[in-house]
Amino acid sequence: MRMLGSLPVRVLDDRHRDEVMAILDADPVANVFVSSRVHAVGLDPGRLGAQMWGYPRDGRLASLCYAGANLIPVAADSDAVRAFAERAQAQGRRCSSIVGPRDAVRELWEILEPYWGPARAIRSAQPVMATSAVPPVTADRHVRRVRMDEFDVIYPACVAMFTEEVGVSPNAGDGGVLYRARVAELIRAGRAFARIDDGRVLFKAEVGAVTPYACQVQGVWVPPDQRGQGLSVAGMAALVEESLRSIAPTVSLYVNDFNARARATYRRVGFDEIDTFMSVLF
């Protein structure tokens, strides 16, 4: 076990990978996004596109914080949260959101708000839902993996979903360069799913993060004029079936607590609420 020394927060690298993975794997659903990044590229900040901060207790790594486009505390008690907040405050805000377990994010934001506030939006309760069972409802057999030659069909739906969910267009700022690249990456990886009828997207969702233990669904969307017809229930059933078959043994997502229709949809598909996240958006 490598000692972290006397500094309260240390930027970790691949020498700490086993310790980091032990912490992440202790809660593979809640930590699926951070874990997917470490599984894919390791802990070198240049490859990770972020820093991984570590907080020690009794000389052993105890808590983590992913510091990139998102600031994500992992297994962080109050002492770790305070240490991560001091580090974040010292370097200045570089993230577009703080997201993760509700208690840790709330405490982080209480410390950082005087320096980073105001937030553009705060989602104070986002149930984390998961399932490892074949859905009890009929799947839409028209839902399938999106092909790369369908990028121009699916991309406007992705933009519409993002804008509706986050409140700003992903095309703002850089003109959509990064978002287009991410959508294309998911299509090439076989993790973008949709029902496309006569050139129109009627349902779409992506599997955004994958580990050997779990995957996380994002971007679930049905056109506003098609909602209430069961497309999301059947579409999610198809996505869950295929994800369990070919991607990971547990499928997860998180959703805003006020989105009663979406939560009801996911429950019908077999998801259970197992945790609560909070997000602070800038």
Side-chain angles (χ1 to χ4, degrees):
M1 182 72 68
R2 185 173 183 272
M3 303 297 284
L4 295 180
S6 60
L7 293 176
V9 173
R10 176 77 60 87
V11 177
L12 306 177
D13 57 32
D14 283 326
R15 291 171 293 179
H16 302 98
R17 183 165 181 158
D18 288 347
E19 299 161 273
V20 167
M21 291 311 308
I23 293 172
L24 294 172
D25 289 348
D27 193 344
V29 173
N31 300 329
V32 63
F33 171 77
V34 176
S35 184
S36 73
R37 298 292 299 139
V38 178
H39 272 288
V41 299
L43 290 166
D44 176 78
R47 296 193 307 273
L48 188 62
Q51 293 181 344
M52 186 73 81
W53 300 341
Y55 179 82
R57 184 176 297 107
D58 300 326
R60 298 165 65 94
L61 188 63
S63 303
L64 308 170
C65 188
Y66 177 93
N70 308 301
L71 192 68
I72 307 174
V74 176
D77 62 11
S78 291
D79 290 340
V81 165
R82 285 193 294 271
F84 293 145
E86 289 174 6
R87 178 93 186 201
Q89 177 190 338
Q91 75 170 24
R93 184 174 70 81
R94 302 178 183 179
C95 60
S96 60
S97 70
I98 306 172
V99 61
R102 178 171 53 182
D103 290 346
V105 170
R106 181 190 293 124
E107 191 168 355
L108 260 178
W109 183 233
E110 287 174 354
I111 299 171
L112 291 172
E113 184 177 12
Y115 308 96
W116 288 9
R120 182 173 55 80
I122 296 177
R123 309 288 168 78
S124 58
Q126 297 175 300
V128 178
M129 307 182 75
T131 182
S132 300
V134 173
V137 294
T138 302
D140 184 346
R141 299 305 171 193
H142 296 286
V143 171
R144 56 174 175 77
R145 285 179 164 88
V146 177
R147 302 188 307 267
M148 197 61 214
D149 64 2
E150 296 172 310
F151 181 88
D152 290 339
V153 175
I154 199 70
Y155 187 71
C158 295
V159 171
M161 176 283 307
F162 187 101
T163 304
E164 182 178 345
E165 173 66 21
V166 179
V168 295
S169 171
N171 292 329
D174 67 356
V177 172
L178 289 176
Y179 191 64
R180 290 177 68 89
R182 178 57 174 161
V183 172
E185 176 187 4
L186 291 172
I187 294 172
R188 292 191 185 99
R191 293 176 9 216
F193 294 83
R195 175 175 177 168
I196 302 173
D197 288 2
D198 297 324
R200 187 184 187 201
V201 178
L202 295 183
F203 167 86
K204 73 128 201 117
E206 297 84 41
V207 178
V210 175
T211 75
Y213 310 109
C215 64
Q216 186 179 79
V217 177
Q218 65 182 40
V220 181
W221 184 83
V222 169
D225 66 336
Q226 298 295 313
R227 293 173 187 174
Q229 302 181 36
L231 287 168
S232 58
V233 172
M236 281 298 297
L239 183 150
V240 169
E241 282 188 7
E242 182 56 27
S243 296
L244 292 175
R245 188 188 70 82
S246 64
I247 298 178
T250 297
V251 183
S252 70
L253 51 81
Y254 61 98
V255 60
N256 292 317
D257 64 337
F258 54 78
N259 194 341
R261 175 177 286 181
R263 292 170 71 184
T265 291
Y266 303 143
R267 283 193 293 268
R268 286 184 63 190
V269 177
F271 285 84
D272 293 317
E273 296 185 5
I274 61 170
D275 202 349
T276 304
F277 275 9
M278 174 177 171
S279 295
V280 180
L281 309 179
F282 302 105

